[in-house]
Amino acid sequence: MRRFLIAGNWKMNTLRQSGVALAGELAAVAVHEEAGVEVLICPPYPYLLPVGERIGGSAVQLGAQDVYFESPGAFTGEIAVEMLKDCGCRYVLIGHSERRAILGETDAVINRKVRAALAGGLTVVLCVGELLAERQSGQTEEVLDRQMEGGFSGISEAEAASIVVAYEPVWAIGTGVTATPEQAESAHEHLRKWLARRYSLAFSEKTRILYGGSVKADNAETLLSQPNVDGALVGGASLKAATFVPIIEAARKLAN
Ligand code: 13P
């Protein structure tokens, strides 16, 4: 059985005080490791250390929202894998649609980041997802295949064991328009079949595939109860304990 991962992507939100306060509320809710549900938060870089300190001793995991693929050196403004590890990160998001669309990240860049993060011992949450126009023109599966081929390029099955896939249809991100459980399940099933073809059936069955895009307390349970949905990558609703904790609770209910 795959363990649910409920991840909060804070994006470019919170300040130190509000971020640390939120982390404290979550640490109080996820006190002990649970067999069925894992909780992850990804604050902005400057708050990794104080947020990490606040969740220390709890079961809440720390992740970053991006990373650079080079070793430390002359790369102004970038952050290396070993710096994230030094700040206590276990996870890193790579290939988020906002980085693809706004910052111009290509599949080739994303692949270099994935490889660097894996080599440095981080667990990667690799984000994939189609634009509205791509869905409307029936290209969803083709786009997902291309992003998966790019992201997983040159990565062995042993290495890929530290990758979590996040399906985030771009049209559902921050829009309040959530994918229907059927749309999510269909894309997740497609991604799992891709993993089975690329690696093995056993590997595909172990890999977690998260859904992201307007996940809220009132739709979390239906989405998480789909057979191929193994967790949620939550943006807006992860910024307040009052909206994030019910999503954790929905996963707990289904896991028990
Ligand atoms: P929202 O939950 O705000 O739609 O954001 C989803 C997302 O992009 C998480 O990475």
Side-chain angles (χ1 to χ4, degrees):
M1 160 117 184
R2 295 179 295 266
R3 189 178 179 206
F4 282 120
L5 176 60
I6 305 300
N9 173 10
W10 293 3
K11 307 192 180 183
M12 199 171 75
N13 291 297
T14 71
L15 289 172
R16 184 171 55 189
Q17 200 180 14
S18 53
V20 170
L22 173 56
E25 288 179 89
L26 299 175
V29 169
V31 181
H32 305 294
E33 285 289 331
E34 293 167 55
V37 183
E38 188 178 5
V39 178
L40 165 68
I41 51 176
C42 303
Y45 288 136
Y47 309 135
L48 286 171
L49 279 175
V51 164
E53 263 165 41
R54 191 66 194 80
I55 59 177
S58 81
V60 181
Q61 299 289 336
L62 188 67
Q65 299 172 16
D66 184 35
V67 69
Y68 196 51
F69 48 74
E70 293 284 3
S71 298
F75 302 101
T76 303
E78 294 298 335
I79 306 286
V81 172
E82 63 188 88
M83 296 172 184
L84 297 185
K85 300 237 349 198
D86 194 31
C87 291
C89 290
R90 290 258 296 268
Y91 283 86
V92 61
L93 310 181
I94 296 181
H96 190 280
S97 70
E98 286 145 20
R99 298 209 59 84
R100 291 177 189 263
I102 306 168
L103 284 306
E105 286 194 11
T106 61
D107 284 316
V109 164
I110 289 162
N111 179 247
R112 291 186 74 179
K113 292 185 171 188
V114 171
R115 290 205 219 187
L118 293 176
L122 289 170
T123 297
V124 170
V125 179
L126 173 66
C127 306
V128 296
E130 81 288 357
L131 303 168
L132 182 59
E134 291 165 339
R135 171 163 287 267
Q136 286 171 338
S137 59
Q139 289 175 284
T140 298
E141 296 188 348
E142 191 184 318
V143 170
L144 295 182
D145 288 352
R146 191 173 65 231
Q147 293 175 341
M148 292 289 277
E149 272 150 32
F152 280 88
S153 177
I155 292 168
S156 70
E157 182 167 329
E159 291 164 331
S162 298
I163 300 182
V164 175
V165 177
Y167 170 61
E168 298 206 303
V170 180
W171 48 272
I173 296 179
T175 57
V177 182
T178 316
T180 64
E182 295 74 23
Q183 285 171 323
E185 175 57 18
S186 158
H188 284 227
E189 193 184 359
H190 180 80
L191 291 169
R192 203 174 303 286
K193 284 188 179 149
W194 186 93
L195 291 168
R197 274 199 312 278
R198 170 73 166 79
Y199 294 104
S200 65
L201 186 62
F203 175 82
S204 75
E205 283 170 354
K206 277 187 284 195
T207 303
R208 291 184 289 185
I209 306 178
L210 315 183
Y211 169 79
S214 298
V215 176
K216 310 274 179 238
D218 60 0
N219 59 29
E221 192 176 334
T222 344
L223 286 161
L224 293 172
S225 57
Q226 301 305 307
N228 284 295
V229 177
D230 310 314
L233 182 52
V234 186
S238 73
L239 294 173
K240 286 203 167 71
T243 48
F244 192 52
V245 172
I247 300 171
I248 301 171
E249 297 291 359
R252 281 180 175 156
K253 189 172 150 193
L254 292 165
N256 293 321

